[in-house]
Amino acid sequence: MMQESIVDLNQPDLYINRDLSILDFNLRVLEQAVDPLHPLLERLNFLLIFSRNLDEFFEIRVAGLLQQLSWERAVGPDGMRAQEVLSRIAYISHAAVERQYRILNEDLLPALAAENIRFLKRDELTQPQAQWVKQYFREQVLPVLTPIGLDPAHPFPRLVNKSLNFIVSLEGKDAFGRQMSLAVVPAPRSLPRVVRLPDELTGQGDHHVLLSAIIHEHVSELFPGMTASGCYQFRVTRNADLTLDEDVDDIASALKGELFSRRFGAAVRLEVADNCPRHIIDYLLRKFALKEESLYRVNGPVNLARLLSNFNRPRLRYTPFTPTLPAVLQKTESMFDALQKRDILLHHPFESFAPVINLLRESARDPQVLAIKQTLYRTGADSEIVNILAEAARNGKEVTAVIELRARFDEESNIEVANKLQEAGAIVVYGIVGYKTHAKMVLVVRREEDRLERYVHLGTGNYHAGTARLYTDYGLLSANPELSEDVHKIFHELTGMGKAAKLKKLLHAPFTLHSTLINLIEQEIAYAQAGKPAHIIIKVNALTEKQLLQALFRAGMAGVKVDLIIRSICCLRPGIPGISDNIRVRSIVGRFLEHTRVFYFSNNGDAKIYCSSADWMDRNLFSRVEVCFPIDDPAFKKRIYQDGLLNYLEDNQLAWQLQADGTWVRICTPEQPPHMAQSLLLEKLAKT
């Protein structure tokens, strides 16, 4: 065994670049589009998810790297500089996009056509269909189009981030005698990108025409007297990250101003139809100040994220399921009565999110409830939870909502939530300047006889009923006095001022979480060095924080068995002889987005298990308010260990394993019975 004292844990080759690790996750998502384990329409949906993920990757990560080009320093513990990372991203992304469109054109579209689901090209339309499309263009599309001829009086327009546009080559003169060769036609965002043809024209099939094909076919009508000799769709992706000064007077007002600028940030990627002539491509690259490596030529729609996949074809979709309620809630109507008897552990989406909503609804209407406090990160202005909180405020409850306005791409929605709750009479605060509030907490204060009792919910996921059907998460409902006192203190910390709260049971960032995790790892190291069994299992979305990475390396070198279940980003390189050969890293990509954060330490036979809102990233541990709650109930500990950890370590259908060279390899064990963790949980906990 290699001694820690002679190993330099700052060696760059021990680490994987964060941005390349994100890109690797997106590639694993793309591979689901060809996986026969998924029904056809779900495979199409994975292709569209890949498009959305890649959009955000360029808007945030690539944009950030481009801004770093002038910095003379490495961007992370892996030692790679911005230009090196960008070049690698361009190489991988070009190959991935080419594969994406090959999957679409050669695999998915033919398979969909065999099911009478078609996206028709212009030359595939029958005469009646072509006539219908022409009428649709003239009645629904033409009135809202604005063609822009390019000449000294009409400079190149400022195009919105990710908008669909066409560049048109023209011949002839316009009504004013101007000789123009190029024009731009933006496709209004108000128009659907996919148009369904009437059933009487399709023989009852799901047949659609893309807006891009409709505009392309009839673009000449926008330029009467001239000839459109070419029409090519293109799309520009811009920097969409927001920068907000920490000394602003009103964070909500400042954020509103920044949201508009997101639409017109610096260009970072140009997508064009693959038949676009070279001279027009060069023209567009100059206009957007982009280099060749930022150009992506695509064989199909430039915005696959807006392609349809929600067809009503049950046979081509996952088997529907109904989340179940824990037994204790099937025997009582009152959440308060149930929680007075015992804590409740929920495992979403296999178990229902309804108990959380029911606790809030009952609290809003119960005359004995005095106050409700809740953190909101991604919820939605029209969500049932927001409506319940507004009702509670109107019913005279003291409602406090800690809303994180800066939840990326949900900022506008969260401003709406804040306004709605304030209008209802709730107290709305935006957390701590400089620290995003990412903790998931509810606190209910209720008068019972001559005393006040408190009830809490703590979770690993957002208060969003929609994602609770799509993401795996844990939630704990409890009336434990110590737990509720800790939650009470954190809410005071968020809404008031003073020293960091001293907590009895909860760990919270940016104060105690990181140091406690380090101590827990060191404790396992001590057990291993004493010749005792030692095991760490960590399940998170991302693992990037260097001190924790190095602590895990030390654990591996000391003989601790380390299993990491990482959904997306992992900067630790496993399998390095003498350093990380005791560390295994796997990733599960399947029907549900793996979102649980669970930390297991064997602790010499008396296991410690925590659930948390926090990933093991710098931002979560040092720049966010996060909560980590212990699982003390022996039955709950057993459930989480078996269902949420061991179950995933045994998955041999949807699992990928990280290799020492940084590549991910699909786990294949044909000699073993198939084991799919998510499906097993559906069978065990839900009704299908």
Side-chain angles (χ1 to χ4, degrees), residues 59-128:
E59 289 174 293
I60 304 300
R61 303 308 308 174
V62 172
L65 287 165
L66 287 168
Q67 290 179 322
Q68 292 176 23
L69 284 178
S70 59
W71 301 0
E72 289 300 321
R73 68 173 183 85
V75 297
D78 54 276
M80 295 181 71
R81 298 188 180 276
Q83 184 55 66
E84 185 181 358
V85 179
L86 284 167
S87 297
R88 184 66 183 158
I89 286 172
Y91 177 81
I92 296 171
S93 297
H94 279 94
V97 169
E98 182 181 344
R99 175 162 171 73
Q100 177 191 23
Y101 281 88
R102 194 164 61 248
I103 291 171
L104 175 70
N105 294 318
E106 298 177 9
D107 185 351
L108 296 181
L109 289 182
L112 290 166
E115 299 288 346
N116 209 12
I117 299 173
R118 303 188 67 191
F119 298 94
L120 297 170
K121 298 180 180 179
R122 293 178 296 144
D123 58 5
E124 294 175 330
L125 297 174
T126 65
Q127 185 59 37

Side-chain angles (χ1 to χ4, degrees), residues 229-270:
S229 57
C231 178
Y232 314 100
Q233 55 179 317
F234 71 95
R235 186 173 78 132
V236 63
T237 307
R238 299 182 180 276
N239 183 339
D241 208 1
L242 297 181
T243 55
L244 208 61
D245 292 335
E246 302 297 351
D247 58 353
V248 295
D249 295 326
D250 184 337
I251 190 171
S253 298
L255 195 56
K256 287 179 183 177
E258 282 295 314
L259 285 174
F260 179 78
S261 67
R262 167 181 280 168
R263 303 170 69 196
F264 299 105
V268 297
R269 176 182 61 169
L270 174 65

Side-chain angles (χ1 to χ4, degrees), residues 287-313:
K287 288 299 178 183
F288 294 118
L290 290 173
K291 297 180 180 178
E292 185 72 20
E293 67 179 13
S294 300
L295 169 69
Y296 290 79
R297 304 179 73 161
V298 301
N299 180 20
V302 297
N303 188 356
L304 282 181
R306 293 190 65 178
L307 201 65
L308 292 181
S309 64
N310 59 342
F311 302 103
N312 184 23
R313 299 291 191 91

Side-chain angles (χ1 to χ4, degrees), residues 370-386:
L370 306 180
I372 304 171
K373 300 184 180 185
Q374 183 169 4
T375 57
L376 296 173
Y377 193 76
R378 301 186 194 275
T379 302
D382 295 325
S383 78
E384 189 173 7
I385 285 176
V386 173

Side-chain angles (χ1 to χ4, degrees), residues 613-633:
S613 60
D615 286 309
W616 284 22
M617 304 177 73
D618 298 73
R619 70 184 188 191
N620 297 91
L621 298 165
F622 305 123
S623 302
R624 289 185 174 185
V625 177
E626 304 273 13
V627 165
C628 177
F629 51 99
I631 302 299
D632 294 328
D633 184 291

